[in-house]
Amino acid sequence: MTLTVVATITARPEFRDELASLLVAQIPPTRAEPGCINYDLYADLNDPCVFVFYENWTCPEALLEHMAVPYLTPFLSQVDRLLATPIEVRQLRMLKDTVST
């Protein structure tokens, strides 16, 4: 089952640029992971402190493996300092994959 993830990350204003750099640095190695279908980062047009990852993974196990990669450590070790709110993560499945035809 393909897994879609939408993660919303809100920076403290004074750390916005630092957080953006850490998030952008994750993109190339994550896209190269075997289970990654896409891994895209967006910035909110109305609030420059809000970032959204839109991700698709081949299976839930691929996401679990992603969460254990060492290049996430620089970001994950600083979330308390950099973020204004906890990361909001939604895991989704496409309904057409669950509907019988």
Side-chain angles (χ1 to χ4, degrees), residues 49-94:
C49 290
V50 175
F51 301 94
V52 176
F53 273 112
Y54 178 77
E55 316 167 23
N56 283 289
W57 298 90
T58 56
C59 61
E61 294 78 18
L63 177 62
L64 286 174
E65 290 175 17
H66 165 66
M67 294 308 297
V69 296
Y71 51 82
L72 289 181
T73 302
F75 164 65
L76 294 175
S77 67
Q78 299 184 66
V79 293
D80 289 339
R81 180 177 70 85
L82 298 173
L83 303 187
T85 61
I87 301 170
E88 179 186 327
V89 178
R90 292 181 185 262
Q91 294 186 8
L92 310 167
R93 70 171 189 259
M94 189 178 300

Side-chain angles (χ1 to χ4, degrees), residues 1-4 54 56 92-99:
M1 171 184 83
T2 301
L3 178 66
T4 298
Y54 178 77
N56 283 289
L92 310 167
R93 70 171 189 259
M94 189 178 300
L95 287 179
K96 77 172 180 86
D97 290 343
T98 61
V99 176

Side-chain angles (χ1 to χ4, degrees), residues 11-66:
R12 294 177 192 260
E14 64 271 26
F15 297 119
R16 188 248 178 234
D17 293 339
E18 182 180 353
L19 178 62
S21 294
L22 287 170
L23 297 177
V24 168
Q26 296 175 153
I27 296 171
T30 299
R31 286 181 176 169
E33 290 179 39
C36 182
I37 298 169
N38 69 291
Y39 189 78
D40 303 316
L41 178 63
Y42 298 85
D44 189 296
L45 291 175
N46 296 313
D47 185 345
C49 290
V50 175
F51 301 94
V52 176
F53 273 112
Y54 178 77
E55 316 167 23
N56 283 289
W57 298 90
T58 56
C59 61
E61 294 78 18
L63 177 62
L64 286 174
E65 290 175 17
H66 165 66

